[in-house]
Amino acid sequence: MELSPRTTKTGVHLLCIWALALVPSGFAAAKSDSPISQEAVFHSGEASYFCFRIPALAVTKDNVVLAFAEARRTNCKDWDEIDLVLKRSTDGGKTWSDLRVLFHEDKRSINQPSPILDRETGVMWLLFCKDNQQVFVTESTDDGLAWSQPREITEQTKDPTWKYVAVGPGHGIQLSNGRLLVAAWGDVSPGPVIWPPKWGEVEFTFSIYSDDHGATWKRGRPMYENATEEGMVTQTSDNQVYMALRSLHGNRRGHAWSSDGGYSWSRIQFDAALPDPPAHASIIRTSETGSQGRASMVFVNPASATSRTRLTVRVSDDDCQTWRFSRVLYKGSSAYSDLAVLKDGSVLCLFEAENYSELALARFTVAWAEKRE
């Protein structure tokens, strides 16, 4: 909301009180340089769901914002009965549609939403899992209003010896050559396949991709190092692919590089300058150019080695080599997140807040993150 030039001081004061009432407690709302924020997009108890977790965010070709989540019915555990839900925003995340259940299947877990926009066709793809044993894909050609009947792609994307598979979570990307690419992870722990699965002893990260605009999907070469699990990809200015990784060993972020479009990866490295509790994190490339003449990369995670708190925005202007700029986005309880960029260049962050009781949205600019405003 913009103030009229004739707004009185009293009017400004009342407006500020109104705005503060809408801001979750973790935001430093009293500061004039705080990011624009709003109430939770999803909150515990909504539509009778116990909680919402695993945010995924995407912007369509027509600038419609799609917010996906796991709606957990009876508790907040990963093995709950889970539905996949969606809300849409046509005004840049200021207001949202009613909650819509995309996929529900008795007592099964429908999870791990991973949207990918095909810029060439305008199709929004959505990959997801069932019981972390099967992988499916669906598509929308009308900004998320209607979705196709899900098509199973398990055989192409999961090795039959794996005990567990999970796409994403969070958005995938389209590379400059047209490839659709999303991070994924799996598990080869010994023992029989049971539900809930016995996993966590031998985990790995890999990728899933399509070179024909979603008609077929394949899996990349796994990083069988038992060092990482959840990841997210971005493409650098020189067309390398960088994957930010959740570490299994130590409270710091991992990463790997690919020079063949995300099929195979370098040895995993860990960055002591990026503390992590650990948790899933989000990374995205913006249209802005940094001081090094390269695209600005935005990375968000709970920057603490001990707890899922202090959700922090970092910006790299040298293609993920270093993260020169850092700013706390949300001081309180915060965990998984996902990022999207609007056509005006502003960045949206949908994240788990207040001990998983809500998925909150923040809006900021690269300039804000670099403290140039």
Side-chain angles (χ1 to χ4, degrees), residues 125-136:
W125 294 94
L126 179 68
L127 281 71
F128 63 93
C129 296
K130 291 186 180 181
D131 296 332
N132 293 108
Q133 297 300 313
Q134 298 170 280
V135 183
F136 290 81

Side-chain angles (χ1 to χ4, degrees), residues 259-339:
S259 58
D260 57 8
Y263 174 78
S264 63
W265 300 89
S266 67
R267 295 286 297 182
I268 297 167
Q269 297 177 298
F270 298 94
D271 192 340
L274 296 178
D276 198 61
H280 175 63
S282 184
I283 188 170
I284 202 163
R285 174 175 170 169
T286 77
S287 59
E288 289 203 30
T289 301
S291 60
Q292 306 296 316
R294 303 174 187 178
S296 291
M297 300 290 186
V298 177
F299 171 78
V300 172
N301 81 316
S304 167
T306 58
S307 64
R308 290 181 170 182
T309 58
R310 295 183 63 81
L311 196 73
T312 299
V313 179
R314 300 180 191 273
V315 179
S316 173
D317 58 3
D318 59 6
D319 281 333
C320 305
Q321 299 294 330
T322 61
W323 301 91
R324 293 203 302 132
F325 306 98
S326 174
R327 199 163 188 185
V328 175
L329 180 67
Y330 190 82
K331 295 185 295 184
S333 168
S334 46
Y336 285 34
S337 64
D338 199 13
L339 295 167

Side-chain angles (χ1 to χ4, degrees), residues 179 207 209 220-223 241 256-266:
R179 171 174 287 183
S207 65
Y209 65 93
R221 184 179 298 167
M223 302 180 222
V241 180
W257 294 90
S258 175
S259 58
D260 57 8
Y263 174 78
S264 63
W265 300 89
S266 67

Side-chain angles (χ1 to χ4, degrees), residues 168-169 183-185 205 229-233 243-246 253 280-281:
W185 61 289
T205 313
E229 46 176 54
E230 296 160 330
M232 186 169 286
V233 290
M243 188 186 292
L245 295 161
R246 174 176 171 173
R253 295 297 300 180
H280 175 63

Side-chain angles (χ1 to χ4, degrees), residues 87-321:
K87 288 188 180 183
R88 300 172 69 255
S89 174
T90 58
D91 56 8
K94 297 174 185 177
T95 60
W96 294 88
S97 68
D98 292 336
L99 182 147
R100 176 184 174 189
V101 178
L102 286 183
F103 303 112
H104 161 95
E105 194 170 332
D106 299 324
K107 295 185 176 182
R108 298 193 70 178
S109 171
I110 314 298
N111 57 30
Q112 303 293 127
S114 298
I116 312 174
L117 173 65
D118 188 324
R119 299 183 305 272
E120 298 175 24
T121 65
V123 173
M124 182 65 70
W125 294 94
L126 179 68
L127 281 71
F128 63 93
C129 296
K130 291 186 180 181
D131 296 332
N132 293 108
Q133 297 300 313
Q134 298 170 280
V135 183
F136 290 81
V137 65
T138 180
E139 64 184 286
S140 174
T141 59
D142 58 2
D143 297 325
L145 287 171
W147 294 85
S148 66
Q149 181 68 26
R151 171 167 49 98
E152 185 170 5
I153 56 171
T154 307
E155 185 176 343
Q156 298 94 332
T157 58
K158 176 180 179 287
D159 188 294
T161 65
W162 297 352
K163 303 297 176 62
Y164 178 103
V165 66
V167 294
H171 73 269
I173 64 172
Q174 185 174 38
L175 303 183
S176 57
N177 65 1
R179 171 174 287 183
L180 305 176
L181 179 71
V182 65
W185 61 289
D187 189 279
V188 288
S189 295
V193 176
I194 58 176
W195 183 257
K198 181 179 181 295
W199 62 280
E201 295 182 28
V202 185
E203 298 175 65
F204 58 91
T205 313
F206 67 108
S207 65
I208 294 173
Y209 65 93
S210 173
D211 288 328
D212 53 13
H213 299 287
T216 61
W217 297 83
K218 300 177 183 178
R219 64 176 180 267
R221 184 179 298 167
M223 302 180 222
Y224 282 128
E225 299 177 48
N226 194 30
T228 59
E229 46 176 54
E230 296 160 330
M232 186 169 286
V233 290
T234 189
Q235 187 172 31
T236 61
S237 302
D238 59 356
N239 293 327
Q240 298 291 300
V241 180
Y242 173 94
M243 188 186 292
L245 295 161
R246 174 176 171 173
S247 172
L248 295 175
H249 308 291
N251 299 99
R252 52 187 180 156
R253 295 297 300 180
H255 65 266
W257 294 90
S258 175
S259 58
D260 57 8
Y263 174 78
S264 63
W265 300 89
S266 67
R267 295 286 297 182
I268 297 167
Q269 297 177 298
F270 298 94
D271 192 340
L274 296 178
D276 198 61
H280 175 63
S282 184
I283 188 170
I284 202 163
R285 174 175 170 169
T286 77
S287 59
E288 289 203 30
T289 301
S291 60
Q292 306 296 316
R294 303 174 187 178
S296 291
M297 300 290 186
V298 177
F299 171 78
V300 172
N301 81 316
S304 167
T306 58
S307 64
R308 290 181 170 182
T309 58
R310 295 183 63 81
L311 196 73
T312 299
V313 179
R314 300 180 191 273
V315 179
S316 173
D317 58 3
D318 59 6
D319 281 333
C320 305
Q321 299 294 330

